[in-house]
Amino acid sequence: DQQVKQNSPSLSVQEGRISILNCDYTNSMFDYFLWYKKYPAEGPTFLISISSIKDKNEDGRFTVFLNKSAKHLSLHIVPSQPGDSAVYFCALYQGAQKLVFGQGTRLTINP
Amino acid sequence: DAGVTQSPTHLIKTRGQQVTLRCSPISGHKSVSWYQQVLGQGPQFIFQYYEKEERGRGNFPDRFSARQFPNYSSELNVNALLLGDSALYLCASSQGTLYQETQYFGPGTRLLVL
């Protein structure tokens, strides 16, 4: 059973436009959510997080939105830049330190 | 400051062999977690160690074991390797076991089992 789902394996966006990556989860007990970015041959890099007491968190070009009733979170990147091309994972905490990851979405930013 | 380091970067083994992977956390971090990432999937939690004690275990067979040393570095051991153990093994460190601490990942060890 997949507790965290990223239903889009890939996404292609034009440079300068907005990239929107989506993530759905099944367990309403999850209460802290993170996004990681991964380049080839590197480990995942932390991007941004959000607690369930909030519905939005911003950090520069990155904004994460949380819809608890729909069990859905999204990552908005605006404006998208070529260096944003990577695989993006949403991750949720289950227990103190166990992260549960989605399958990832490969984002490609086209010039 | 150095990030999380892992060794070796790549490894090729044959079925039935044993492998040991190593991880050094960020300086000052006392918690180390191990994840397995197979191709096309997100990382899956294997173990978490804090102050040399196992604090969490994922759904992996007993062939997988780990330990943490007094300097907070860690080793992951996998016995009786199977073809399905071929994956990227990621180590992550965090300062402690406080809930919702950000985990910082190393570059991983890519294991190929033939």
Side-chain angles (χ1 to χ4, degrees):
Chain A
D1 58 338
Q2 194 79 33
Q3 298 188 73
V4 183
K5 290 184 180 179
Q6 293 176 255
N7 290 318
S8 298
S10 62
L11 178 66
S12 186
V13 174
Q14 194 169 6
E15 182 179 357
R17 306 294 289 268
I18 183 170
S19 296
I20 300 176
L21 298 106
N22 295 302
C23 178
D24 296 296
Y25 60 96
T26 57
N27 189 341
S28 59
M29 295 300 290
F30 289 128
D31 61 0
Y32 198 72
F33 310 88
L34 306 91
W35 283 95
Y36 282 85
K37 176 171 73 173
K38 188 178 184 303
Y39 293 118
E42 294 184 14
T45 302
F46 170 72
L47 268 180
I48 191 169
S49 61
I50 188 168
S51 165
S52 61
I53 62 173
K54 296 184 176 181
D55 54 18
K56 177 182 174 182
N57 188 27
E58 283 183 82
D59 184 2
R61 296 186 298 114
F62 302 91
T63 303
V64 56
F65 294 92
L66 176 63
N67 183 334
K68 292 184 288 294
S69 60
K71 299 191 186 69
H72 177 85
L73 69 157
S74 62
L75 175 68
H76 292 207
I77 306 172
V78 56
S80 299
Q81 299 174 354
D84 296 330
S85 294
V87 178
Y88 289 78
F89 293 97
C90 64
L92 290 63
Y93 267 114
Q94 185 176 60
Q97 286 278 301
K98 176 184 177 181
L99 281 174
V100 181
F101 285 83
Q103 305 95 313
T105 296
R106 182 178 300 278
L107 176 64
T108 302
I109 306 301
N110 302 309
Chain B
D1 286 343
V4 177
T5 59
Q6 294 185 243
S7 64
T9 55
H10 294 83
L11 205 50
I12 300 175
K13 292 285 188 179
T14 57
R15 281 178 297 175
Q17 285 189 311
Q18 175 265 341
V19 68
T20 298
L21 311 180
R22 295 176 177 82
C23 171
S24 292
I26 293 170
S27 178
H29 284 193
K30 298 181 178 181
S31 177
V32 169
S33 298
W34 287 95
Y35 292 80
Q36 180 197 64
Q37 186 184 10
V38 299
L39 203 60
Q41 299 294 321
Q44 273 198 296
F45 174 78
I46 309 175
F47 286 111
Q48 189 231 343
Y49 275 77
Y50 175 70
E51 293 282 12
K52 297 181 290 179
E53 289 189 6
E54 181 184 303
R55 295 298 182 96
R57 174 185 281 259
N59 189 24
F60 281 82
D62 292 344
R63 299 185 295 108
F64 289 77
S65 63
R67 55 179 176 168
Q68 187 178 32
F69 298 98
N71 67 353
Y72 304 112
S73 67
S74 178
E75 287 182 351
L76 175 70
N77 295 285
V78 187
N79 293 322
L81 285 166
L82 303 174
L83 297 180
D85 295 330
S86 296
L88 179 68
Y89 288 86
L90 295 161
C91 172
S93 77
S94 60
Q95 289 185 317
T97 57
L98 290 177
Y99 194 58
Q100 301 172 358
E101 281 192 19
T102 297
Q103 295 187 32
Y104 297 90
F105 284 83
T109 294
R110 187 162 296 280
L111 171 65
L112 177 61
V113 181
L114 301 177

